[in-house]
Amino acid sequence: METLSTARSFEGIQGVYRHRSEACQCDMTFAVFLPPQAKDGPVPLLWYLSGLTCTHQNVMDKGEYRRAAAEHGVAIICPDTSPRGENVPDEKDNWQFGSGAGFYLDATQAPWSTNYRMASYIGEELPALVTANFPVDMQRQGIFGHSMGGHGAITQALKHKGRFKSVSAFAPIARPMVAGWSRPAFEKYLGPDEAEWRAYDSVALIEDGARVAELLVDQGKADGFLDDGLRPWLLEDACAKAGIPLTLNMRDGYDHSYFFISTFMADHIAWHAKRVKG
């Protein structure tokens, strides 16, 4: 693992790191914020998964998470959204597929299956690397994310039963199997058999028996992707039928941007901290 940069912030350390990923068969970059409490021993951690077109950098620059993380004594891990590099296949004119659009799944179709294995990277490889190199307590972890990353956070929590003590999302893609901006990507990554897609769809996973203890979602009512891409009411209905407590906050006037995310970031971190520390 290579350290690309470190900076002091709110008495903690914001770092950016790079390593060779076996899952993705390329170099991967991620960010870690360690709160000041990490100097005294392992701290709880939250995984933040970013959305389409993003890297770890977007939330570092715009997410405004460090003050709240330092106050609550939790580390924040920000992975990239997809594999990258000259030898990684891509569709450069398609922002909804390829680089920046890994959808947190393990592709099964060539040529994508060699590199696009973000489910394994987030679920197995990166946690092992983080555990080996940072003072974090993997028994006290939560996960959250935005848009495609909200989809990734919820599906990771549903697929890894009991691993995460908390899960939340900002404007998640609730039903990517049928959403306009994710369905084409699923077909390219996973092939035409929609039964294979269900493992990466929050609503389908809940329908198929996966559960989390509770769920927090914030969604802007002025989000331009609300009706076609996000549709939180589908997640609300699935949670109601499954008996999963869901807090769905529909926020007047807020869109899909980091202005929205940063407004409610501290609320989410406080919500997670209560659960991962409790």
Side-chain angles (χ1 to χ4, degrees):
M1 189 181 73
E2 176 186 2
T3 300
L4 299 182
S5 67
T6 60
R8 192 172 182 86
S9 180
F10 296 102
E11 304 307 316
I13 298 294
Q14 176 66 68
V16 179
Y17 308 91
R18 180 168 58 205
H19 72 109
R20 178 69 182 181
S21 168
E22 292 300 320
C24 298
Q25 291 294 298
C26 65
D27 288 344
M28 296 292 286
T29 303
F30 65 99
V32 178
F33 176 72
L34 290 176
Q37 295 86 342
K39 292 180 292 186
D40 299 322
V43 295
L45 73 154
L46 303 180
W47 297 85
Y48 178 86
L49 306 186
S50 293
L52 284 163
T53 75
C54 291
T55 70
H56 66 282
Q57 192 75 41
N58 298 76
V59 69
M60 275 181 56
D61 293 346
K62 304 174 184 178
E64 301 182 24
Y65 58 81
R66 281 173 287 268
R67 180 189 294 274
E71 289 176 355
H72 291 284
V74 296
I76 307 288
I77 316 294
C78 306
D80 202 345
T81 53
S82 65
R84 300 177 193 271
E86 291 183 3
N87 297 320
V88 176
D90 188 18
E91 289 188 0
K92 296 186 182 302
D93 59 346
N94 184 359
W95 65 274
Q96 297 175 342
F97 185 75
S99 182
F103 278 96
Y104 302 101
L105 52 75
D106 283 348
T108 58
Q109 304 299 300
W112 319 104
S113 55
T114 298
N115 305 102
Y116 286 82
R117 298 185 54 78
M118 291 300 294
S120 292
Y121 177 69
I122 299 296
E124 306 300 336
E125 184 178 14
L126 190 55
L129 184 72
V130 168
T131 300
N133 288 278
F134 300 95
V136 295
D137 183 355
M138 284 294 183
Q139 299 304 311
R140 298 184 294 165
Q141 60 178 319
I143 190 167
F144 65 146
H146 169 233
S147 192
M148 179 184 73
H151 136 76
I154 297 170
T155 55
Q156 281 282 319
L158 288 166
K159 288 163 71 70
H160 295 282
K161 183 179 179 180
R163 175 180 295 186
F164 301 102
K165 292 185 177 298
S166 56
V167 56
S168 74
F170 302 102
I173 305 174
R175 194 77 162 102
M177 287 179 62
V178 299
W181 59 357
S182 49
R183 180 178 173 83
F186 270 44
E187 185 164 10
K188 291 177 183 179
Y189 285 137
L190 301 172
D193 184 0
E194 295 187 19
E196 301 297 322
W197 304 7
R198 297 183 68 83
Y200 304 106
D201 183 292
S202 298
V203 170
L205 282 165
I206 292 170
E207 289 175 347
D208 293 343
R211 297 290 184 267
V212 292
E214 59 182 322
L215 184 58
L216 169 65
V217 172
D218 272 276
Q219 171 66 61
K221 288 185 177 181
D223 191 323
F225 301 110
L226 181 59
D227 291 332
D228 179 56
L230 305 173
R231 292 182 278 189
W233 48 85
L234 299 179
L235 180 62
E236 185 177 34
D237 182 61
C239 286
K241 290 178 179 177
I244 298 174
L246 167 66
T247 300
L248 174 59
N249 299 314
M250 299 297 296
R251 304 294 190 176
D252 286 331
Y254 284 93
D255 59 15
H256 200 67
S257 72
Y258 268 93
F259 296 113
F260 157 63
I261 298 168
S262 63
T263 300
F264 301 104
M265 177 65 79
D267 293 345
H268 278 242
I269 290 175
W271 185 86
H272 281 279
K274 181 178 180 181
R275 287 153 178 81
V276 299
K277 295 170 72 175

